[in-house]
């Protein structure tokens, strides 16, 4: 008989690292963000708001993965094909999953065939913070930033000095060991990190899924990061950075086979920062990222994406503001046992930006032109204004344009049963506007943003000819997305730390009025933490409205709304060590993020799973400094 077990299954072991662990001090730069302008600025001065996931947020999230943490932010939805390591999709302000640029320490990552980044492959334990810029950003980052930008920062000597060690365990055979060191040695900043994670998993598909197999879909990952920066004097510095995540994930693709994918996400880069002229600082960055997958089982094969990148951007303080100018070069390539007609392309871009404050008025303006070897040139821009009406009230607004480049799959996928790519596709284009306000009340920082985004030349796979069951991508669709996002964060007089968000939106196909696939009209999150001396306790509530897993709201594809509750607690039992626990989906809520797939916590009825692994979700305990 199926049994629920509302307690943790394992307790982490204490390791001797406590002897040399040290507390992480707060730094004066904790409120600095870079994603909204590509240069550091105080978050409170940013014309376009940037949401930040802090080190504390990451710690309290346990071993849930980066996609689950992103879905707690305003305007952000995430779907996942199961538990840890299974593929995920990110939707920002109702835009498509391939409308978001993802960076790791300034280096673009992702698949050139799918157009998305493997967020599920980036080890959460090695991340220091995440910045999320919602809305159009092609004028800063080029193609694909219709929905926004997610930038991941790995641990560094400035923000995460000292030694950090964590052991975690939970149900479904979950085990993790993670450690990092960061420090300053003379004029050298050094940061190193490693993460080992294993989960036996559960059967992530239900019996309606065409490839349902009934076995466990486990996950293993080894993650490594390294960052080194050397000051050379006179304002000059050089640095290198490295991230690698090598994972193996099991999935269902046919009964009787053990299907698995060996995935590698990797980025490497070097940079040089120097004062080119008095008052002018430039940064030259050269990097490469890899997104590689090798499949075994019923559909063996491999596909490798690489992105070579060079950027040279300078900032000049002039006339009370900062003038930014730069050039970028990007080469994208694909190598696969699937024969693509074209396997590489390159993009050259130039950008010019201005930001300044004149009393209570702040302004940001950006222009960019990109020339792609496949589809020619495209220009984008944005203009934003903010007005500090009162010490605790700020009004802001912006307009901007963006575009999305067709992927190699959309352009050149070889014919298969009549379906194939379309080399005549044009980029998807969007124009977006937003109005917002930020104010402070009762110890909370509050924000409200009204947004509108219209996307044309949207690429859909269209049955060609009708009734043929053969699909070809076409620039046939338009999308209209309007919405309101609300956010709140801070500390109440009771000492309770609060982070909350809510979004109401209308993600629709303009021609049919159908709700865009896998996107809800409303969703919200509430996160509370109450310190109790050496102890702390908290909870998290997630809610999402109904969604459709089809482009036309076809019968049988509706996924109902749901809400989930997580509870967590911590005990600082020594100056250097902390014991933490978390239980997700306490109420054992059944829900779906994608049809045919079961997220953690659903009542899984496969006879292969015994009761000890079929309970509500997973619980995690970890020990760390």
């Amino acid at each position: 008989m199926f049994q629920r077990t509302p307690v943790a299954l394992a307790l982490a072991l204490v390791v001797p690292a406590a002897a040399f662990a040290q507390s992480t001090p707060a730094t004066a730069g904790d409120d600095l963000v870079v994603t909204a302008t590509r240069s550091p600025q105080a978050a409170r001065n940013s014309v376009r708001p940037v949401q930040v996931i802090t080190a504390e947020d990451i710690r309290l999230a346990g071993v849930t993965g980066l996609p689950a943490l992103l879905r707690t932010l305003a305007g952000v939805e995430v779907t996942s094909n199961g538990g840890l390591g299974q593929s995920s999709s990110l939707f920002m302000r109702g835009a498509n999953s391939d409308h978001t640029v993802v960076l790791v320490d300034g280096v673009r990552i992702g698949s050139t065939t799918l157009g998305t980044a493997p967020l599920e492959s980036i080890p959460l334990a090695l991340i220091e913070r995440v910045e999320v810029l919602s809305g159009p950003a092609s004028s800063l980052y080029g193609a694909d930033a219709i929905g926004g930008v997610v930038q991941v920062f790995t641990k560094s000597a400035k923000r995460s000095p000292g030694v950090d060690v964590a052991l975690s365990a939970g149900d479904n055979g979950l085990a993790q060991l993670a450690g990092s060191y960061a420090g300053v040695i003379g004029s050298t900043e050094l940061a190193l990190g490693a993460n080992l994670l294993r989960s036996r998993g559960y059967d992530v598909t239900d019996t309606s899924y065409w490839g349902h197999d009934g076995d466990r879909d486990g996950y293993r990952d080894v993650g490594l990061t390294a960052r080194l920066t050397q000051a050379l004097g006179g304002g000059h510095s050089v640095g290198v950075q490295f991230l690698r995540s090598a994972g193996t994930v099991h999935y269902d693709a046919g009964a009787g086979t053990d299907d698995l994918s060996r995935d590698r996400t990797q980025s490497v880069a070097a940079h040089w920062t120097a004062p080119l002229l008095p008052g002018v600082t430039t940064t030259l960055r050269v990097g490469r990222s890899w997104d590689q997958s090798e499949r075994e089982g019923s559909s063996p094969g491999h596909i490798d994406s690489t992105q070579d990148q060079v950027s040279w951007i300078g900032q000049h303080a002039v006339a009370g503001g900062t003038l930014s100018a730069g050039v970028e070069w990007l080469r994208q390539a694909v190598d696969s046992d699937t024969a693509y007609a074209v396997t590489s392309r390159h993009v050259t871009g130039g950008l010019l930006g201005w930001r300044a404050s004149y009393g209570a008025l702040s302004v940001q303006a950006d222009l960019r032109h990109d020339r792609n070897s496949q589809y020619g040139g495209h220009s984008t821009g944005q203009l934003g204004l903010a007005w500090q009406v009162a010490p605790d009230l700020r009004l802001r607004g912006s307009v901007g344009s963006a575009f999305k480049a067709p992927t190699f799959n959309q352009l050149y996928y070889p014919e298969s049963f009549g379906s194939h790519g379309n080399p005549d596709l044009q980029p998807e284009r969007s124009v977006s506007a937003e109005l917002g306000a930020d104010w402070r009340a009762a110890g909370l920082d509050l924000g409200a943003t009204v947004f509108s985004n219209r996307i044309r030349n949207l690429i859909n796979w269209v049955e060609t000819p009708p009734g043929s069951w053969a699909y070809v991508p076409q620039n046939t669709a338009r999308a209209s997305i309007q919405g309101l996002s609300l956010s709140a964060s801070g500390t109440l007089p009771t000492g309770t730390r609060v982070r909350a968000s809510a979004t109401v939106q209308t993600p629709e196909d303009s021609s049919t009025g159908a709700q865009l696939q896998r996107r809800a009209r409303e969703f919200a999150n509430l996160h509370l933490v109450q310190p109790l001396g050496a102890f702390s306790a908290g909870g998290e509530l997630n809610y999402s409205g109904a969604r459709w897993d089809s482009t036309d709201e076809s019968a049988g594809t509706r996924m109902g709304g749901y809400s989930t509750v997580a509870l967590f607690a911590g005990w600082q039992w020594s100056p250097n060590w902390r014991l933490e626990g978390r239980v997700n989906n306490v109420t054992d809520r059944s829900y779906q993020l994608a049809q045919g797939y079961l997220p953690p916590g659903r009542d899984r009825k496969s006879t292969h799973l015994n009761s000890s692994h079929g309970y509500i979700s997973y619980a995690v305990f970890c020990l760390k400094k």
Side-chain angles (χ1 to χ4, degrees):
M1 180 179 177
F2 180 80
Q3 298 177 349
R4 289 173 52 195
T5 311
V7 296
L9 298 183
L11 184 66
L13 300 176
V14 179
V15 294
F20 54 84
Q22 65 185 46
S23 299
T24 302
T27 67
D30 282 344
D31 64 342
L32 294 180
V33 294
V34 301
T35 307
T37 60
R38 302 195 64 165
S39 62
Q41 65 171 335
R44 61 183 177 275
N45 294 333
S46 178
V47 173
R48 295 188 56 194
V50 176
Q51 298 183 84
V52 178
I53 295 174
T54 66
E56 181 185 17
D57 298 330
I58 294 171
R59 192 191 77 234
L60 293 175
V63 194
T64 55
L66 179 58
L69 193 54
L70 287 168
R71 71 188 294 265
T72 66
L73 301 179
V76 178
E77 296 175 273
V78 176
T79 66
S80 180
N81 294 348
L84 287 172
Q86 302 292 332
S87 60
S88 300
S89 298
L90 175 69
F91 305 95
M92 294 180 62
R93 289 190 178 175
N96 285 352
S97 59
D98 56 1
H99 288 171
T100 299
V101 169
V102 178
L103 309 168
V104 175
D105 294 326
V107 178
R108 180 187 284 237
I109 67 169
S111 167
T112 60
T113 56
L114 298 176
T116 58
L119 295 168
E120 68 279 356
S121 298
I122 305 175
L124 194 59
L126 302 181
I127 298 175
E128 179 178 81
R129 63 189 267 122
V130 182
E131 294 181 4
V132 177
L133 174 65
S134 298
S138 286
S139 58
L140 287 166
Y141 295 96
D144 310 332
I146 288 179
V149 178
V150 173
Q151 182 154 203
V152 174
F153 297 91
T154 56
K155 294 189 176 182
S156 67
K158 286 186 177 180
R159 291 184 182 269
S160 306
V163 174
D164 201 345
V165 178
L167 271 70
S168 304
D171 77 324
N172 291 325
L174 174 67
Q176 181 190 42
L177 170 62
S180 64
Y181 164 78
V184 179
I185 306 171
S187 57
T188 303
E189 297 179 12
L190 176 66
L192 302 169
N195 177 71
L196 304 175
L197 184 147
R198 183 202 66 187
S199 173
R200 285 185 294 173
Y202 61 92
D203 186 8
V204 302
T205 61
D206 61 26
T207 54
S208 68
Y209 182 70
W210 67 271
H212 178 72
D213 195 25
D215 62 345
R216 291 186 180 277
D217 298 305
Y219 178 57
R220 300 189 305 274
D221 180 77
V222 178
L224 299 170
T225 59
R227 295 177 66 178
L228 184 147
T229 302
Q230 177 65 51
L232 303 176
H236 293 257
S237 67
V238 294
V240 294
Q241 63 193 59
F242 170 80
L243 176 140
R244 176 186 171 93
S245 174
T248 299
V249 60
H250 293 252
Y251 63 97
D252 289 352
T257 62
D258 183 20
D259 293 277
L260 61 87
S261 179
R262 304 184 190 278
D263 303 323
R264 179 168 67 119
T265 299
Q266 182 171 308
S267 67
V268 60
H271 72 268
W272 169 49
T273 299
L276 184 65
L277 295 170
V280 179
T281 300
T282 62
T283 298
L284 174 66
R285 186 184 302 273
V286 179
R288 166 178 272 206
S289 66
W290 293 259
D291 184 276
Q292 300 173 311
S293 177
E294 183 178 353
R295 304 179 305 278
E296 298 179 11
S298 60
S299 56
H302 80 276
I303 188 163
D304 302 339
S305 295
T306 57
Q307 299 194 69
D308 297 315
Q309 306 158 58
V310 180
S311 68
W312 187 22
I313 299 177
Q315 282 88 33
H316 178 38
V318 61
T322 300
L323 177 67
S324 300
V327 293
E328 293 189 307
W329 178 83
L330 173 68
R331 179 183 181 272
Q332 298 178 317
V334 57
D335 177 42
S336 174
D337 48 10
T338 298
Y340 289 83
V342 176
T343 58
S344 68
R345 65 186 179 191
H346 62 269
V347 186
T348 303
L351 60 111
L352 187 67
W354 170 260
R355 62 181 173 91
S357 294
Y358 304 100
L361 183 67
S362 298
V363 60
Q364 178 180 340
D366 300 289
L367 293 172
R368 179 174 175 128
H369 182 78
D370 290 275
R371 179 158 293 279
N372 188 293
S373 59
Q374 290 177 310
Y375 56 77
H378 198 86
S379 297
T380 52
Q382 71 168 345
L383 174 64
L385 298 172
W387 178 30
Q388 194 73 43
V389 179
D392 292 330
L393 176 61
R394 191 177 194 231
L395 304 179
R396 50 180 165 77
S398 66
V399 294
S401 59
F403 72 106
K404 151 74 172 58
T407 67
F408 279 95
N409 277 356
Q410 293 168 336
L411 290 165
Y412 303 118
Y413 197 82
E415 184 169 348
S416 177
F417 301 102
S419 300
H420 56 84
N422 179 3
D424 296 324
L425 289 174
Q426 295 300 307
E428 300 169 326
R429 306 184 182 192
S430 79
V431 176
S432 180
E434 66 179 63
L435 293 172
D438 303 300
W439 67 100
R440 186 169 181 82
L444 297 178
D445 292 314
L446 307 173
T449 302
V450 177
F451 59 88
S452 174
N453 193 2
R454 298 187 180 275
I455 307 171
R456 56 192 176 94
N457 287 343
L458 199 65
I459 298 173
N460 272 348
W461 289 80
V462 179
E463 193 175 19
T464 307
S468 66
W469 290 89
Y471 291 83
V472 178
Q474 305 282 355
N475 291 109
T476 58
R478 290 173 177 260
S480 176
I481 308 166
Q482 288 82 40
L484 167 67
S485 287
L486 305 173
S487 64
S489 62
T491 304
L492 298 175
T494 59
T496 306
R497 296 194 294 271
V498 178
R499 188 180 74 243
S501 66
T503 300
V504 180
Q505 60 182 10
T506 58
E508 296 180 350
D509 184 318
S510 300
S511 58
T512 65
Q515 192 168 322
L516 294 179
Q517 189 172 11
R518 296 187 180 178
R519 272 147 283 188
R521 292 186 180 273
E522 64 279 330
F523 52 95
N525 172 268
L526 175 63
H527 181 96
L528 301 172
V529 182
Q530 179 64 55
L532 302 167
F535 296 88
S536 64
E540 187 173 285
L541 171 66
N542 283 292
Y543 165 77
S544 175
R547 291 138 295 122
W548 299 81
D549 209 348
S550 64
T551 59
D552 57 359
E553 299 186 7
S554 57
T557 65
R558 185 179 185 273
M559 300 182 292
Y562 67 92
S563 59
T564 60
V565 177
L567 297 176
F568 47 86
W571 174 33
Q572 192 76 40
W573 60 274
S574 82
N576 294 325
W577 288 97
R578 181 176 178 86
L579 176 66
E580 295 176 337
R582 181 181 175 104
V583 181
N584 292 325
N585 199 3
V586 174
T587 61
D588 196 20
R589 183 71 163 91
S590 294
Y591 65 101
Q592 282 188 310
L593 299 176
Q595 283 202 313
Y597 294 95
L598 305 177
R602 182 165 181 173
D603 183 354
R604 300 179 290 276
K605 299 183 182 302
S606 169
T607 57
H608 180 82
L609 301 179
N610 60 43
S611 62
S612 65
H613 291 87
Y615 85 112
I616 55 175
S617 182
Y618 71 80
V620 177
F621 281 93
C622 64
L623 288 168
K624 62 190 299 180
K625 76 178 184 66

